């Protein structure tokens, strides 16, 4: 079960969201880095932006979704153009796990050149 994001009203009181650019900025000072007007969030190891609110980390895409639609997404949020830090509302969509996986990049160690195709050494064939 995913941790729900804070209340939309609370998010609107501390953050600004521009759906055209996907940028989230602080409305109020939040610690030493979160100065009013500063861009909120920092990239995690996978490249997605995450924002710390009240000592909990949230995906910026989920915060953008809640601020735009007023409710949490029921499923995963997929970045349609595969750019992890592009949180424009036109780029975000709800997706089940398989749709989200189909929209993923090819793995770095992929040798076939196709997503979902792997080589079975013991049989000498691709599957």
């Amino acid at each position: 079960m995913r941790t729900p994001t804070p209340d939309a009203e609370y998010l609107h009181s501390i953050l600004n969201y521009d759906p055209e650019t996907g940028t989230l900025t602080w409305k109020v000072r939040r610690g030493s880095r979160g100065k009013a007007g500063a861009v909120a969030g920092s990239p995690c190891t996978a490249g997605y932006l995450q924002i710390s609110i009240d000592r909990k980390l949230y995906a910026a895409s989920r915060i953008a979704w809640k601020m735009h639609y007023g409710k949490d997404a029921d499923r995963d949020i997929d970045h349609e153009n595969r750019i992890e830090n592009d949180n424009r509302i036109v780029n975000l969509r709800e997706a089940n796990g398989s749709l989200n996986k189909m929209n993923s990049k090819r793995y770095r160690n992929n040798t076939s050149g196709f997503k979902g195709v792997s080589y079975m050494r013991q049989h000498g064939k691709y599957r």
Side-chain angles (χ1 to χ4, degrees):
M1 181 74 186
R2 188 174 288 110
T3 305
T5 56
D7 182 61
E9 189 175 314
Y10 178 62
L11 291 174
H12 282 287
S13 72
I14 61 171
L15 290 165
N16 283 316
Y17 172 61
D18 182 353
E20 298 293 318
T21 64
T23 305
L24 288 150
T25 55
W26 294 111
K27 279 186 178 178
V28 295
R29 183 174 178 89
R30 303 285 291 185
S32 62
R33 292 187 188 171
K35 296 178 175 70
V39 174
S42 58
C44 67
T45 55
Y48 294 96
L49 290 177
Q50 53 188 10
I51 298 174
S52 176
I53 299 174
D54 300 330
R55 297 185 178 179
K56 289 185 182 177
L57 286 175
Y58 299 95
S61 57
R62 298 194 79 72
I63 290 174
W65 186 274
K66 184 139 187 193
M67 289 182 75
H68 188 78
Y69 293 111
K71 65 181 186 88
D72 283 315
D74 295 327
R75 297 178 278 175
D76 291 337
I77 293 182
D78 182 37
H79 292 78
E80 281 190 67
N81 66 2
R82 296 190 208 160
I83 299 173
E84 294 91 354
N85 61 0
D86 183 357
N87 291 313
R88 293 174 300 136
I89 204 65
V90 298
N91 185 45
L92 303 178
R93 64 179 174 187
E94 282 189 282
N96 59 20
S98 63
L99 177 61
N100 203 355
K101 194 68 175 165
M102 282 191 305
N103 196 30
S104 66
K105 297 175 184 173
R106 277 189 296 134
Y107 287 112
R108 193 178 327 168
N109 62 353
N110 181 309
T111 57
S112 71
F114 298 96
K115 283 194 305 185
V117 177
S118 59
Y119 186 71
M120 297 175 56
R121 232 181 265 147
Q122 65 270 29
H123 299 294
K125 297 179 180 180
Y126 285 93
R127 68 169 184 173

